């Protein structure tokens, strides 16, 4: 039994469980997790549509140039919340909390300051139909509309949705590709 999964940049866990998906969709979101990344870039979390387009709803957490990015589009434009107070591609464990209430999002890393953003337009529900991906996904560049080109190189732990729903990372997964035990 793997306690915390490790991702290689070409691996992922995919969840289609309705108990998980319903906590991602809708007008609010609350995600807490721990991660460590051994590289400056990579996708941590993604939820979107099977057929992605510029206006399609999606939600993502990922690293770009060592900084955490929280992005979503509720159908009327995307918001990108960058946590630029702390570099996180350092191989150390970091705790993050990403929340969204309708259009307003916030991101906190390691109990630091809060980064905030608001999506444009009037739409306030996340409508996704492709489950939840952790650590990466198949066809990552095309499914993420070139926002990401590789998954996380590192580990994930303690993923919690809606403040109290703990995802059992391995046993809840519908699919797991190239997953190893975190060192």
């Amino acid at each position: 039994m793997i306690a915390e999964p490790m991702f290689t940049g070409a691996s992922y866990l995919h969840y289609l469980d309705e108990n998980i998906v319903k906590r991602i969709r809708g007008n609010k979101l609350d995600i807490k997790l721990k991660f460590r990344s051994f590289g400056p870039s990579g996708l941590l979390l993604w939820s979107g549509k099977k057929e992605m387009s510029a206006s399609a709803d999606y939600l993502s957490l990922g690293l770009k140039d060592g900084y955490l990015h929280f992005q979503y589009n509720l159908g009327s434009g995307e918001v990108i919340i960058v946590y630029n107070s702390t570099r996180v591609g350092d191989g150390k464990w970091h705790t993050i909390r990403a929340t969204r209430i309708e259009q307003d999002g916030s991101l906190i890393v390691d109990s630091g300051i809060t980064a905030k953003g608001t999506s444009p337009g009037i739409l306030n529900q996340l409508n996704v139909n492709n489950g939840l991906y952790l650590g990466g996904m198949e066809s990552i560049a095309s499914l993420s509309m070139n926002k990401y080109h590789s998954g996380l190189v590192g580990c994930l732990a303690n993923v919690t949705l809606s403040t109290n729903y703990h995802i059992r990372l391995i046993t809840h997964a519908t699919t797991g590709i190239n997953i190893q035990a975190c060192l």
Side-chain angles (χ1 to χ4, degrees):
M1 186 71 191
I2 296 174
E4 282 103 21
M6 186 165 97
F7 301 85
T8 64
S11 50
Y12 62 87
L13 290 166
H14 186 205
Y15 303 86
L16 293 170
D17 184 311
E18 186 60 29
N19 287 316
I20 293 171
V21 174
K22 74 181 183 186
R23 288 170 170 83
I24 299 289
R25 288 198 291 250
N27 67 352
K28 61 184 182 183
L29 170 81
D30 190 334
I31 298 174
K32 286 187 273 191
L33 60 84
K34 281 176 61 174
F35 78 97
R36 63 196 283 202
S37 176
F38 299 109
S41 300
L43 181 65
L44 292 176
L45 178 149
W46 179 274
S47 189
K49 298 210 177 230
K50 290 182 176 92
E51 301 298 323
M52 288 303 293
S53 67
S55 63
D57 288 22
Y58 79 91
L59 164 80
S60 74
L61 272 169
L63 288 121
K64 292 184 181 180
D65 300 320
Y67 294 104
L68 194 62
H69 288 227
F70 176 35
Q71 297 174 234
Y72 53 90
N73 186 338
L74 306 176
S76 52
E78 68 182 358
V79 61
I80 303 170
I81 302 169
V82 180
Y83 200 90
N84 56 15
S85 307
T86 306
R87 289 185 78 91
V88 292
D90 57 6
K92 296 184 175 123
W93 283 101
H94 295 279
T95 303
I96 62 176
R97 183 171 188 190
T99 59
R100 183 182 65 78
I101 298 172
E102 297 186 344
Q103 294 164 288
D104 298 326
S106 68
L107 181 62
I108 302 171
V109 177
D110 297 332
S111 303
I113 61 165
T114 302
K116 295 184 177 186
T118 301
S119 64
I122 58 167
L123 299 176
N124 62 21
Q125 300 267 338
L126 181 70
N127 296 301
V128 293
N129 61 10
N130 207 9
L132 173 67
Y133 287 91
L134 292 178
M137 60 185 165
E138 76 271 5
S139 310
I140 198 165
S142 62
L143 279 177
S144 74
M145 297 169 298
N146 283 317
K147 291 174 185 9
Y148 293 94
H149 294 109
S150 72
L152 172 68
V153 178
C155 308
L156 284 173
N158 302 359
V159 179
T160 304
L161 303 175
S162 306
T163 71
N164 63 1
Y165 188 84
H166 306 289
I167 298 177
R168 291 194 306 275
L169 294 175
I170 302 302
T171 56
H172 278 160
T174 305
T175 313
I177 303 294
N178 297 331
I179 301 299
Q180 300 160 9
C182 187
L183 305 174

